[in-house]
Amino acid sequence: MFSTFAAYPTFLVFLAVVISMVVTMGLMPVWIRLLKSSHIGQQVRADGPQSHLVKQGTPTMGGVIMLVAVIACTLLIGAPTPEIWLLLGATVLTGLLGLIDDGSKVAHERSLGLTPKAKLVGQFAIATAFILFAVNLLGVEPTVSIPFVYTFDLGILTWVLPIGDGIAIPVLYLLFVNILLVGMCNAVNLTDGLDGLAAGSVMIVMLVMAAIAYRSDLLPSAIFAATLAGACVGFLWFNSYPADIFMGDTGSLALGMALGCLAVVTKTEFVSLIIGGLFVAEALSVMIQVLYYKKTKKRIFLMAPLHHHFEKKGWSETKVVVRFWIVSGVLAALGFSLYFAGSLLG
């Protein structure tokens, strides 16, 4: 349909943002009405900020429409290459895992869905499959580069399964990227605690990942990242404070996995930790809080994740969200600058 514009790849990436945004904004009102009529709403954690209790019952699973928009627009605008199928596969499967989790919360009317162990097993299985396909099908090198410092060869310990032409299993790279993908998956999920926070932050990050993929001559990945950014913009219209709908684990887990997978395909595994630095900080705040409390029975933060700490300090929800967006933008710009400088000199 868009083959006419094949000679204008920049326009295709821009178009992916716009169409994904329009599709999300067009379908979301119908989805919200359906969720409300079905009495499917968010279950708020009892130990969270008291101001969040009013969010109880707000429609959730908005990530379903975001994924529909991403799938439709990616396949409509970009060529269905193995690269695209792999990125979409990992993202959609993680979204389905999140959907099961969201459905469990709604069915049992509690803020806890699947057990942490069950979610982690599912995430690691999806991440492992993605990595093996990326290495053996797409030819992704099992290396991790720190710009201006060193490129680590994590393929030095590789097992080969005698199946077909052989399936390479780079053990060290598999371990590192599993931690990256599952960690980013849960980091975005932890960030999704305030109206508009995760959607706005992911939108910023995905625009940068689209730029990186485009510069790396990976147009399908650039279009995929652009559709994710567009879906976040469209969703943000309904998720801005006070939110009409939440993305749920369906959206947050899928977005986190998509970010990690894009980092692998574009070979920005290390730089992605800076680009998505806000998500990393949110995850670290929870880990530090838990470990420190177990050791001292005291808390470093007033409440974790980090955004709740600032709420407890008296910042309004919108102030926390906007300032965190700014921080996300600064970190994303820093990460892109590091990547760009490294690519020029490399």
Side-chain angles (χ1 to χ4, degrees), residues 124-149:
F124 275 115
I126 295 169
T128 298
F130 172 83
I131 298 162
L132 293 179
F133 275 113
V135 170
N136 291 277
L137 183 63
L138 301 184
V140 171
E141 292 293 329
T143 59
V144 175
S145 297
I146 301 178
F148 307 110
V149 179

Side-chain angles (χ1 to χ4, degrees), residues 27-67:
L27 295 178
M28 198 63 72
V30 178
W31 184 240
I32 292 174
R33 288 196 294 271
L34 177 62
L35 292 172
K36 284 184 175 179
S37 64
S38 303
H39 304 289
I40 297 176
Q42 177 75 14
Q43 302 300 313
V44 178
R45 52 185 279 198
D47 59 342
Q50 294 300 301
S51 60
H52 288 206
L53 294 178
V54 297
K55 300 173 188 270
Q56 181 79 16
T58 301
T60 187
M61 302 187 203
V64 170
I65 299 301
M66 298 174 74
L67 288 176

Side-chain angles (χ1 to χ4, degrees), residues 135 142 153-161 167-173:
V135 170
D153 182 7
L154 299 184
I156 56 174
L157 179 59
T158 299
W159 300 339
V160 179
L161 292 180
I167 299 176
I169 305 177
V171 179
L172 297 179
Y173 186 71

Side-chain angles (χ1 to χ4, degrees), residues 92-101 114 118-119 122-123 126 253:
V92 172
L93 285 174
T94 309
L96 289 175
L97 181 66
L99 183 61
I100 295 172
D101 188 41
L114 294 176
K119 283 195 285 188
Q123 291 165 12
I126 295 169
L253 292 179

Side-chain angles (χ1 to χ4, degrees), residues 87 90-91 206 224 228 253-263:
L87 288 168
T91 301
M206 284 303 170
F224 173 70
L228 287 163
L253 292 179
L255 291 173
M257 181 62 75
L259 174 56
C261 291
L262 280 166

